[in-house]
Amino acid sequence: MLLAVVSSACVSASAMFVKLADVTAGTAASLRCLLALVALVPLALVERRRLGPRSGRGPLLDVAAGALLGVDFVFWAQSIHDVGSAIATVLLNLQIAVFPLLALALTRTRPGGRYWLALPFLLVGVALASGAIGDPEPGTSPVTGIVYGATAGVAYAGYLFLTRLGGGGPHTVHPVCVSTLSAAVTSGVLGALWTGIQPLPGWGPLGWLALMALFGQVLSLILLGPALSRLAPATSAALLLLQPVLALVLGVAFLGERPTVTQFAGCALVVLAVWHTGRRDH
């Protein structure tokens, strides 16, 4: 649980770094992966010499998970441009609804009754938070924001699910390195076709993207893999609730974002729905 909490705290600052970098979604997604690989590759080589190669279906799951992660990165970065860093991170929490469903369909791990009770409230909260229902923050695009954010959330749920399936072994850095390389390819292709990529955006944007890569990718994913393999799917999703809460605080405090009253209400509804889901069924 502690690993999942620290990982969520690291991820929560990522949206702020994307907005401060002020580059296209494809640029943010692909460069964060390439910058992360600078730190991950040496660590993965050291781990490989110590533990040997990763065996079984693990490498294939890492590649598949990374492909979904690349899709998540591009769509999430675009949703940040459309609805702001705080609300985009709230929208990403649609993975909380999707992740237990994937576990149910593919591993027959049944979510508790609280999950089904909280699901409608979670979806309404996401719609309110994005501004699709109620009053959006001026200057935002709630319709496209919720579409891109929802797509990112579904892709992220798939990444979490495959990471959980491939976790549990002694390797912690190698799976993240392989999935990041796969994400770099996916985000590079998707970003080039959709938003375009700026290979040299300048030292300022590169600095913000480097911070995002270090905290939101290298550290967070290294911690997240072992955590997911030890936690139930609904518990894992609930602990990741810290991401939207902290991102909302950072967006308001440091970026001057001002969500409307209905958007704050939606964020609160998401928080309560996920909290209710994470409680034990009796």
Side-chain angles (χ1 to χ4, degrees), residues 38-225:
V38 174
L40 287 171
V41 169
L43 294 174
L45 291 175
V46 171
E47 184 178 77
R48 181 184 176 90
R49 284 196 296 268
R50 183 168 57 89
L51 299 175
R54 187 161 152 82
S55 58
R57 61 178 184 174
L60 291 178
L61 289 173
D62 296 339
V63 171
L68 290 174
L69 190 64
V71 174
D72 161 47
F73 285 164
V74 175
F75 278 93
W76 185 50
Q78 187 59 44
S79 72
I80 291 171
H81 292 311
D82 287 0
V83 293
S85 63
I87 301 303
T89 309
V90 172
L91 293 177
L92 190 63
N93 276 262
L94 277 176
Q95 58 87 12
I96 294 170
V98 177
F99 183 67
L101 294 179
L102 289 174
L104 173 63
L106 300 178
T107 66
R108 300 185 184 277
T109 302
R110 295 182 178 275
R114 294 183 184 277
Y115 167 81
W116 299 110
L117 181 62
L119 184 58
F121 296 96
L122 175 65
L123 297 177
V124 171
V126 166
L128 284 169
S130 69
I133 298 176
D135 299 320
E137 181 179 0
T140 62
S141 303
V143 176
T144 56
I146 196 172
V147 171
Y148 299 146
T151 303
V154 172
Y156 190 49
Y159 165 77
L160 293 177
F161 178 76
L162 293 177
T163 297
R164 184 173 185 269
L165 283 183
H171 297 82
T172 56
V173 181
H174 190 270
V176 176
C177 185
V178 173
S179 63
T180 300
L181 178 60
S182 178
V185 174
T186 306
S187 61
V189 173
L190 179 59
L193 293 175
W194 182 19
T195 67
I197 293 178
Q198 304 160 257
L200 297 173
W203 290 112
L206 280 175
W208 291 119
L209 293 176
L211 286 174
M212 179 178 62
L214 178 62
F215 288 100
Q217 189 138 351
V218 177
L219 185 57
S220 67
L221 296 186
I222 286 176
L223 296 176
L224 187 61

Side-chain angles (χ1 to χ4, degrees), residues 210-254:
L211 286 174
M212 179 178 62
L214 178 62
F215 288 100
Q217 189 138 351
V218 177
L219 185 57
S220 67
L221 296 186
I222 286 176
L223 296 176
L224 187 61
L228 289 178
S229 66
R230 293 170 172 84
L231 295 172
T235 304
S236 302
L239 285 174
L240 297 178
L241 172 65
L242 280 176
Q243 294 179 15
V245 174
L246 292 177
L248 185 64
V249 172
L250 292 173
V252 171
F254 296 105

